[in-house]
Amino acid sequence: MASTIIAPGFPMPLSSSRSGRRGCRRPSPLPALAAAAAIAIALCSGAKAVPAEPPPGLATLSVPDSGGRPLTVHVWYPAVPGPQPALIADNAALVGFSAVENATPEPGRHPVVMLSHGFGGNWTNQAWLAVRLVAAGAIVAAPDHPGTTTRDMDEAKGRKLWQRPQDISRAIDALLADPRFSPHVDPARIAVVGHSLGGWTALSLAGARLDPERLDADCTGHPELAACRVYASLGAGRDPAERAALAVSRADARLKAAVSLDVGLARGFDPASLAAIRIPVLVLAAGNDTDGIPAQLESGFLAAHLPSVTTTHAAIEGAAHFSFLRECKPGGGALIAADNPDDAVICIDGGSRSRAELHAEIADRIVDFLRGAGILPGS
């Protein structure tokens, strides 16, 4: 199973490697790191690991599409004890996770949590959360979003942002149809969690609707927002047909709860569509603003317009935008910076707590929320 060295979330206002202007820079593949250290230990698949929790199973679904947007969906799930786990997606800079590839699923029906990564990210970004959710009883599935994922930054695909929530809906379809998982999925208990642009994706699935005119006007007033630079750099909303597609609701009625992690692009949502959302929503923001992604303007906008009775909003003290990604190893930031100094921000948090401690709080909040929403078992 492939590993990825770098896993950004929502893009920072960094210099463009193509034009030299301030804007959205495509994620670097870190060739120097890959050549120096990652060759030796990047995958480590087959390495034995002894996790604190029973290791999840891990499988891959390939979802074909006649429209030219095939998906690769990675699925973590409760598994029957058996083979020793392997260490997956581990590399010189970022901590991997333990899983048993293609293990036998645990009998019974399980809730489903869909994960949506940020712009330039990938399915491994929230692997730490996926493992915790499996331990709480869920099947977790994460597609790589074509055009906005680490090794597929194709602007022609990426600007069709409405296809991101459709990716999640298609992944749910595939999970429900797959003979390995369909007997184990509880279709009445499905939730979605997204980070950054993935948070925008999650809210779109909950019923929030993008208003291109509103977004254009807001970006004129808030040009400092990273989301506005990304939207412009992709060319999203320039074509009339694409503007119309962006404005269509992508709500999926199968979803019963949604979680946003330090969202980006939130201010383009029609406030009336946010107010009309009826499923429970958890909005978690970074307690320390990252340049271009101010919590008050992004996550705060969601919290101000979502129904107060069904919305929970909190800021994670000491977290920065990239604190929601995997843990960095000691010296990982230096290794990343050796290839591209701008990318060192991936390993920078906002306070004295370690990323592992931040992850523990974030995961606790999400698990408690999903239990309260009736998605996860327990109380």
Side-chain angles (χ1 to χ4, degrees):
M1 182 162 291
S3 174
T4 303
I5 299 295
I6 191 169
F10 205 80
M12 300 294 297
L14 305 178
S15 299
S16 169
S17 59
R18 299 179 62 194
S19 66
R21 62 182 171 79
R22 299 288 284 179
C24 168
R25 184 184 46 73
R26 296 186 181 198
S28 165
L30 292 189
L33 176 57
I39 290 176
I41 62 173
L43 288 178
C44 295
S45 58
K48 300 299 185 291
V50 183
E53 299 284 353
L58 182 67
T60 302
L61 300 180
S62 295
V63 184
D65 179 49
S66 59
R69 193 177 174 90
L71 296 178
T72 300
V73 182
H74 299 272
V75 184
W76 295 260
Y77 54 94
V80 173
Q84 287 291 316
L87 189 57
I88 307 294
D90 193 74
N91 59 56
L94 300 171
V95 174
F97 63 94
S98 295
V100 180
E101 295 188 74
N102 299 311
T104 301
E106 185 180 272
R109 297 274 182 179
H110 304 280
V112 172
V113 180
M114 307 299 298
L115 293 182
S116 179
H117 65 72
F119 184 92
N122 61 76
W123 70 278
T124 68
N125 282 18
Q126 281 76 50
W128 56 273
L129 177 59
V131 171
R132 174 65 187 279
L133 290 169
V134 171
I139 294 172
V140 182
D144 278 335
H145 293 288
T148 56
T149 197
T150 307
R151 293 180 178 176
D152 180 10
M153 295 296 289
D154 183 334
E155 291 177 6
K157 291 183 285 186
R159 69 171 179 261
K160 298 177 180 179
L161 292 173
W162 70 88
Q163 292 186 334
R164 280 182 132 257
Q166 289 179 323
D167 293 341
I168 298 294
S169 293
R170 290 173 54 212
I172 294 172
D173 293 341
L175 199 62
L176 292 172
D178 189 277
R180 291 171 294 177
F181 297 109
S182 59
H184 304 291
V185 169
D186 183 347
R189 293 186 293 161
I190 303 178
V192 61
V193 178
H195 172 239
S196 196
L197 187 58
W200 177 89
T201 304
L203 267 295
S204 297
L205 288 157
R209 186 182 60 79
L210 182 69
D211 181 342
E213 284 72 28
R214 176 186 176 83
L215 182 59
D216 289 345
D218 193 75
C219 285
T220 299
H222 296 283
E224 75 280 8
L225 292 180
C228 294
R229 283 189 288 274
V230 170
Y231 188 74
S233 69
L234 287 172
R238 293 179 187 170
D239 178 88
E242 291 184 359
R243 286 178 75 83
L246 283 166
V248 173
S249 173
R250 304 297 171 179
D252 190 325
R254 294 173 296 185
L255 292 163
K256 307 303 181 187
V259 179
S260 166
L261 306 176
D262 212 36
V263 69
L265 206 66
R267 296 179 65 84
F269 284 135
D270 173 22
S273 71
L274 289 170
I277 291 175
R278 292 293 174 261
I279 64 173
V281 178
L282 173 64
V283 179
L284 294 182
N288 293 69
D289 283 346
T290 299
D291 186 23
I293 312 172
Q296 182 177 1
L297 292 181
E298 293 283 21
S299 294
F301 180 84
L302 291 183
H305 294 287
L306 287 164
S308 59
V309 69
T310 53
T311 302
T312 303
H313 176 220
I316 306 300
E317 181 183 354
H321 185 68
F322 293 101
S323 299
F324 296 89
L325 304 189
R326 289 192 282 151
E327 290 180 59
C328 294
K329 292 182 177 179
L335 285 171
I336 292 172
D339 179 74
N340 190 317
D342 291 329
D343 287 332
V345 70
I346 291 169
C347 292
I348 297 175
D349 298 306
S352 61
R353 291 197 291 169
S354 70
R355 188 163 293 187
E357 292 172 313
L358 295 170
H359 283 179
E361 178 184 345
I362 295 164
D364 283 347
R365 287 180 178 271
I366 293 172
V367 168
D368 288 347
F369 167 76
L370 292 176
R371 283 175 175 160
I375 304 296
L376 294 177
S379 59

